[in-house]
Amino acid sequence: AETTTNETVPTYSVENLSGKSDVMFIIEDEQGKIESVFCTLVDFDNKTFKVKQVDGDAQYLFGKSYMSINRIYTENGFDGLNKYFTDNWGFSTDKYAVFTVSSLRKFLSLFNGISITVAESIEYHSSSINLELDKGYQSLSGEKVLNYLMICYLFLLFHYF
């Protein structure tokens, strides 16, 4: 049986936002292990954001020993991750969101298109990601942006609508 409701779904627009914001996105697998962390620098005035991605299993110097991002997060939580990124990258934020890959995929699918400048042509194929992109400015689906983010380890410049 079909049901209806009078509830309204809030809509958001970037048209009314201004200034800059830093946000950390933590991407976990279905078991809660970090796959990637994305540190984003959003400039609402210029409608751009930069992204730096790190792999959850990569080893980084934290304090006096090398630890994976997963271990830093498991032992020190968000504050530990934020301390690592502040000390090593100059990136500091009090805003973060945790997604699973599937929930991030759903979130990105809400966008009609995300325009991106690809520095070099990409042809990448694995068991879970197939991605081919030409060099230059182009509009991508949320799925392609997710795949792009999952394989890139450089600062990227995005434009959103």
Side-chain angles (χ1 to χ4, degrees), residues 83-135:
K83 178 175 177 14
Y84 168 77
F85 291 119
T86 299
D87 292 350
N88 293 282
W89 295 0
F91 176 88
S92 180
T93 185
D94 61 352
K95 298 173 285 302
Y96 70 100
V98 179
F99 288 94
T100 61
V101 173
S102 60
S103 65
L104 182 60
R105 182 172 284 115
K106 288 178 187 175
F107 173 74
L108 289 173
S109 72
L110 298 174
F111 295 91
N112 291 330
I114 300 172
S115 297
I116 181 172
T117 301
V118 178
E120 298 293 328
S121 296
I122 294 174
E123 186 172 332
Y124 181 89
H125 302 283
S126 71
S127 60
S128 60
I129 296 175
N130 289 303
L131 184 66
E132 293 182 20
L133 297 175
D134 294 325
K135 179 180 178 178

Side-chain angles (χ1 to χ4, degrees), residues 9-23:
V9 177
T11 57
Y12 301 94
S13 171
V14 296
E15 294 170 11
N16 299 326
L17 300 176
S18 63
K20 296 180 180 181
S21 183
D22 302 334
V23 181

Side-chain angles (χ1 to χ4, degrees), residues 42-62:
V42 183
D43 181 341
F44 292 105
D45 297 330
N46 293 310
K47 294 188 166 76
T48 63
F49 64 94
K50 290 184 178 182
V51 179
K52 175 74 174 176
Q53 182 232 9
V54 296
D55 182 74
D57 291 326
Q59 298 286 317
Y60 298 96
L61 186 61
F62 184 72

Side-chain angles (χ1 to χ4, degrees), residues 33-36 54-60 67-71:
K33 181 181 172 198
I34 293 178
E35 290 195 6
S36 294
V54 296
D55 182 74
D57 291 326
Q59 298 286 317
Y60 298 96
M67 301 172 80
S68 71
I69 292 296
N70 269 302
R71 184 170 166 205

